[in-house]
Each structure stands twice: as structure tokens, then as C-alpha cells.
Amino acid sequence: QVQLVESGGGLVQAGGSLRLSCAASGRAFSSHAMGWFRQAPGKEREFVAAISWSGTGTYYTDVAKVRFTISRDNAKNTVYLQMNSLKPEDTAVYYCAGTLRRTYYLPGSYDYWGQGTQVTVSS
């Protein structure tokens, strides 16, 4: 099993940037595809982006295209989400998740979850 801990959230003004990190421990991180999700108050959890176990494959939903970049460093057991040009509607708790399945582009594929990190974008 993989344990995941997110960090890097905070309060930022609209137009600003944040880089979220997700540190993994436990079973081989490099075997897992990783994803980022978010959940705003009163809304369902939303799939944001994903990356294959090797990092060569990435997937972005419409909310993340252009402004967000997912990456990973398997030597550091860490996955990142670089978020630029942030908007107030990006305010949410951001979660990272892991899966051994090849279908990392499907939100239902994820088995391991972190506790989340709060991102607040002020207007």
C-alpha cells in the first residue's frame, strides 16, 4: 500500500501560481500511476490530471489544460502539480491519488488517497 501526503497549498491571489507536492511512502511508488483531484465546498470531487508510472504519459481534464502541469520524480517518490494563472474557481481541497491500474486516465481507477491540501484563490 502507498501512503500519500500532499503539501504546497495555501492562499494566493488570482493570477498567481502554486506548486503542489505529493510525497509517497510504502510500496514502490514508481509502479504507480498518480493523479490529482480536487473538491470544492458543496461540489463533487473532480478529476484534474494524471501521470503514468514512468512519467511519459500524462492526462489533463479541461480544468487543467493549459494552466496546470503534472510531473513526477520517482527518485524522490514525489508527484507535483504546477498551477499557473489561478482563478477563484480553482479554490478547493486538492488530493493526490495512486493506482497500479493502467487506466490512470479514468477517475475511478484510483485506490490510494492522500488527506488533501487546501488551495484558496482570492479575487
Side-chain angles (χ1 to χ4, degrees):
Q1 187 172 350
V2 174
Q3 290 79 44
L4 304 173
V5 178
E6 302 93 336
S7 62
L11 175 63
V12 63
Q13 289 188 334
S17 298
L18 281 175
R19 189 177 79 157
L20 305 182
S21 299
C22 174
S25 60
R27 293 180 61 185
F29 171 75
S30 59
S31 299
H32 290 74
M34 300 297 296
W36 284 98
F37 294 73
R38 69 185 187 184
Q39 188 167 20
K43 295 187 177 181
E44 294 187 353
R45 187 171 61 197
E46 183 177 37
F47 191 27
V48 176
I51 189 166
S52 65
W53 64 272
S54 65
T56 57
T58 57
Y59 176 80
Y60 295 94
T61 63
D62 287 344
V63 300
K65 288 178 182 176
V66 179
R67 297 186 298 124
F68 295 0
T69 302
I70 190 170
S71 62
R72 67 189 296 161
D73 186 339
N74 286 345
K76 296 183 178 180
N77 283 6
T78 302
V79 62
Y80 304 98
L81 186 68
Q82 177 68 43
M83 304 187 295
N84 299 326
S85 302
L86 284 162
K87 306 174 182 179
E89 50 263 44
D90 294 318
T91 295
V93 177
Y94 283 72
Y95 299 90
C96 70
T99 181
L100 287 170
R101 307 171 201 265
R102 294 187 177 185
T103 52
Y104 62 90
Y105 48 87
L106 296 178
S109 296
Y110 290 83
D111 302 303
Y112 310 111
W113 295 84
Q115 295 299 307
T117 185
Q118 175 71 48
V119 171
T120 303
V121 184
S122 63
S123 57

